[in-house]
């Protein structure tokens, strides 16, 4: 282990950037066997379960807050199973429009107050009841996708709670286990004390770890909660360090300053494995995709979008950009999703047909020109796609920005911005609708796609009361979305984390986060 730890210290000494990382770290945090240090690739957002976004946020927050229903994260194969969280059981009426949850007893928030149906009702009213004293418009906006059809809620008794929807909602339990737009439970007392804008600075949940401190763009520290209702985690402290630069994050891992490296660069996989690190194989529930910015005139053109979809060489991206540590995707339903089927292909690669479509539309080579917007992590893939488009006569230069500026740019794109390279996905089939709404509709695309047919397919899938038909209906919706070429999948990563040889028990399940509870750490 000492060889692994020390081999790259010379590298650190030779590069100013890596040396800066070492100086900035307050000692070798990774040397403490009671402390696990995770290197994040982007800064988490608000640690507020109803306002948060980005996976990196949930990878921190899920240790503090808990949902009613959880995904079982101990297996690296298959779709994640649903297991009890703060609810011990759940059941619906015959058509799936009313869901009743039996709540776990004898659960305490980190501030010593009780979790019960009244506490859950406080959480739900924050985003669903405009007349509620602590109603929060930001939370309502974040949870709208999951709860737009909510008719009413009811405290049945101290440990039973009911959600009623206007239509059947068979996907509801799995949606409760997700990171963004799901009501992980916070302490009502904490929110009353700190207010809607103060909760993220004083996160208070029921999870296995309590909040210690945060230094923005540096680290977040959590400590084990001795009053946790469930099985105690193995480690006393978790530290999540934000290291946005890929090489700096790699250097910190190689020096032993971090124990788990997030978003491994494909060119580093063999290097790290050769030095004793584990780089587990998996898929997560992730996909990269091109999402059009419909303020651009070429993004509004269906023939151009169709040509773009046909021109992207997904196999080439997986092979050349990700060194074979990614797989091409031919559907907006990603691996790890309940509805994913490797044989369900609704996109294809055919650059010659792309040229023919443009020519038939009277578009000459070089006439179409727009920017591709990418964050720094996605820049190599975006550059490859730019080359693909160049080969069919489309000029698409890449503008790569750090994550904060990238988010701001795609929220307020310039007229020459044609599409951005995004990354998301989930284990739930409803992702097709959520992904479409958050990319196509949010970017002004409703009038440029066949929205009536798309919405009809979404409604048929989301509101079905037939469990046997549900998956097939979501796959059909995926086909209808593909017909408008409005959002285009590219690849799914198959290597994502690197784990120190001192760390044991880490599992990468087929979702976008992990369980650090069983993880242990030996002396280096």
């Amino acid at each position: 282990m000492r060889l692994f730890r020390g081999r790259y210290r010379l590298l650190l000494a030779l590069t100013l950037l890596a040396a800066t990382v070492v100086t900035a770290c307050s000692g070798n945090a990774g040397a403490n066997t009671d402390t696990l240090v995770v290197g994040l690739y982007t800064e988490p957002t608000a640690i507020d379960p109803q306002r948060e976004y980005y996976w990196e946020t949930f990878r921190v927050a899920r240790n503090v807050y808990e949902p009613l229903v959880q995904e079982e994260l101990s297996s690296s194969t298959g779709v994640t199973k649903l297991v009890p969280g703060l609810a011990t059981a759940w059941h619906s009426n015959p058509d799936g429009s009313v869901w009743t949850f039996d709540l776990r007893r004898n659960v305490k928030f980190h501030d010593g107050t009780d979790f019960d149906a009244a506490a859950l009702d406080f959480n739900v009213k924050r985003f669903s009841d405009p007349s509620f004293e602590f109603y929060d418009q930001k939370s309502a906006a974040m949870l709208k996708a999951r709860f737009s059809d909510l008719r009413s809620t009811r405290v049945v008794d101290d440990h039973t709670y009911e959600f009623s929807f206007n239509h059947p909602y068979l996907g509801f339990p799995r949606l409760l286990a997700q990171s963004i737009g799901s009501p992980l439970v916070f302490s009502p007392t904490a929110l009353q004390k700190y207010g809607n804008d103060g909760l993220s600075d004083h996160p208070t949940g029921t999870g296995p770890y309590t909040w210690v401190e945060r230094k923005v763009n540096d680290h977040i520290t959590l400590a084990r909660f001795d009053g946790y209702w469930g099985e105690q985690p193995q480690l006393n402290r978790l530290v999540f360090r934000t290291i946005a630069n890929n090489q700096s994050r790699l250097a910190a891992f190689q020096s032993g300053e971090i124990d788990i490296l997030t978003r491994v660069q494909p060119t580093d996989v063999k290097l790290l494995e050769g030095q004793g690190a584990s780089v587990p194989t998996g898929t997560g529930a992730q996909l990269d995709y091109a999402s059009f910015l419909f303020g651009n005139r070429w993004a509004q053109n269906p023939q151009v979008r169709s040509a773009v979809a046909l021109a992207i060489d997904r196999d080439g991206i997986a092979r050349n950009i990700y060194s074979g540590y990614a797989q091409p995707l031919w559907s907006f339903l990603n691996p790890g999703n309940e509805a994913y089927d490797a044989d369900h292909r609704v996109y294809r690669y055919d650059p010659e047909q792309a040229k023919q479509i443009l020519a038939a539309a009277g578009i000459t080579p070089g006439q179409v020109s727009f920017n591709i917007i990418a964050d720094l992590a996605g820049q190599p893939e975006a550059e490859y796609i730019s080359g693909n488009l160049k080969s069919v006569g489309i000029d698409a230069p890449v503008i790569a920005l750090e994550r904060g500026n990238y988010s701001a740019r795609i929220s307020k794109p310039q007229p020459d911005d044609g599409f951005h390279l995004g990354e998301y996905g989930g284990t739930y089939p409803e992702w097709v609708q959520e992904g479409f709404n958050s990319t196509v509709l949010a970017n002004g695309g409703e009038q440029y796609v066949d929205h009536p047919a798309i919405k009809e397919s979404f409604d048929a899938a989301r509101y079905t009361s037939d469990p046997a038909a549900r998956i097939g209906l979501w796959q059909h919706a995926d086909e209808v979305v593909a017909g408008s070429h409005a959002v285009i999948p590219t690849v799914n990563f198959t290597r994502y984390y690197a784990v120190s040889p001192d760390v044991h028990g880490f599992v990468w399940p087929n979702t976008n986060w992990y369980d650090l509870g069983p993880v242990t750490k030996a002396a280096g």
Side-chain angles (χ1 to χ4, degrees), residues 83-386:
V83 295
L86 290 178
T88 57
W90 51 92
H91 59 274
S92 72
N93 65 340
D95 75 350
S97 63
V98 179
W99 287 90
T100 304
F101 293 82
D102 300 331
L103 305 184
R104 194 174 295 278
R105 298 169 184 264
N106 303 315
V107 174
K108 296 285 188 182
F109 289 103
H110 299 153
D111 58 11
T113 58
D114 293 324
F115 164 73
D116 55 18
L120 177 58
D121 193 52
F122 185 103
N123 275 250
V124 173
K125 284 183 176 178
R126 186 195 185 202
F127 67 83
S128 65
D129 183 0
S131 68
F132 183 52
E133 178 184 0
F134 295 97
Y135 177 73
D136 178 36
Q137 290 184 342
K138 291 181 180 179
S139 297
M142 289 298 294
L143 276 74
K144 181 179 179 180
R146 308 276 168 83
F147 289 92
S148 61
D149 196 48
L150 183 66
R151 181 173 70 245
S152 64
T153 59
R154 183 167 69 100
V155 174
V156 179
D157 57 41
D158 285 350
H159 294 94
T160 311
Y161 196 78
E162 181 182 275
F163 294 87
S164 296
F165 296 91
N166 294 312
H167 301 87
Y169 202 0
L170 299 183
F172 186 52
R174 180 170 289 277
L175 288 168
L176 289 175
Q178 304 306 309
S179 60
I180 299 170
S182 295
L184 282 77
V185 182
F186 59 81
S187 163
T189 301
L191 189 135
Q192 289 171 326
K193 181 177 180 180
Y194 300 112
N196 278 323
D197 292 333
L199 184 65
S200 64
D201 294 324
H202 304 275
T204 310
T206 62
Y209 287 91
T210 62
W211 187 258
V212 175
E213 66 173 1
R214 177 177 192 172
K215 184 177 179 181
V216 175
N217 291 316
D218 189 86
H219 72 273
I220 292 172
T221 302
L222 310 178
R224 185 164 57 192
F225 177 40
D226 291 335
Y228 183 53
W229 62 265
E231 185 175 348
Q232 281 286 334
Q234 298 294 311
L235 296 157
N236 286 334
R237 293 170 79 85
L238 302 178
V239 178
F240 296 88
R241 286 187 55 198
T242 299
I243 310 175
N245 181 273
N246 293 329
Q247 288 304 114
S248 298
R249 197 165 64 254
L250 172 66
F253 180 75
Q254 292 169 329
S255 71
E257 293 166 34
I258 62 175
D259 302 301
I260 296 176
L261 169 63
T262 308
R263 193 153 182 156
V264 174
Q265 297 304 293
T267 52
D268 297 329
V269 172
K270 290 183 179 179
L271 169 70
L272 291 169
E273 288 182 330
Q275 299 306 313
S278 170
V279 187
T281 300
T283 65
Q286 166 271 347
L287 79 163
D288 279 10
Y289 54 87
S291 180
F292 288 94
L293 299 167
F294 287 90
N296 179 270
R297 69 187 185 101
W298 294 116
Q300 299 168 6
N301 187 306
Q303 287 80 22
V304 170
R305 296 199 308 270
S306 177
V308 170
L310 290 164
I312 295 176
D313 181 4
R314 297 159 182 81
D315 284 298
I317 294 171
R319 183 176 59 253
N320 298 314
I321 301 304
Y322 297 113
S323 303
Y325 301 126
Q327 57 184 327
L329 291 185
W330 309 100
S331 164
F332 201 43
L333 288 163
N334 51 278
N337 193 296
E338 282 184 303
Y340 175 72
D341 181 349
D343 294 326
H344 176 70
R345 296 191 169 205
V346 295
Y347 293 87
R348 57 196 176 89
Y349 174 54
D350 192 337
E352 291 305 314
Q353 186 175 0
K355 294 177 185 177
Q356 293 170 14
I357 288 173
L358 294 174
I363 297 172
T364 58
Q367 184 179 349
V368 177
S369 178
F370 54 74
N371 300 326
I372 300 174
I373 310 301
D375 65 6
L376 295 177
Q379 182 177 2
E381 180 178 339
E383 296 284 3
Y384 192 89
I385 292 173
S386 176

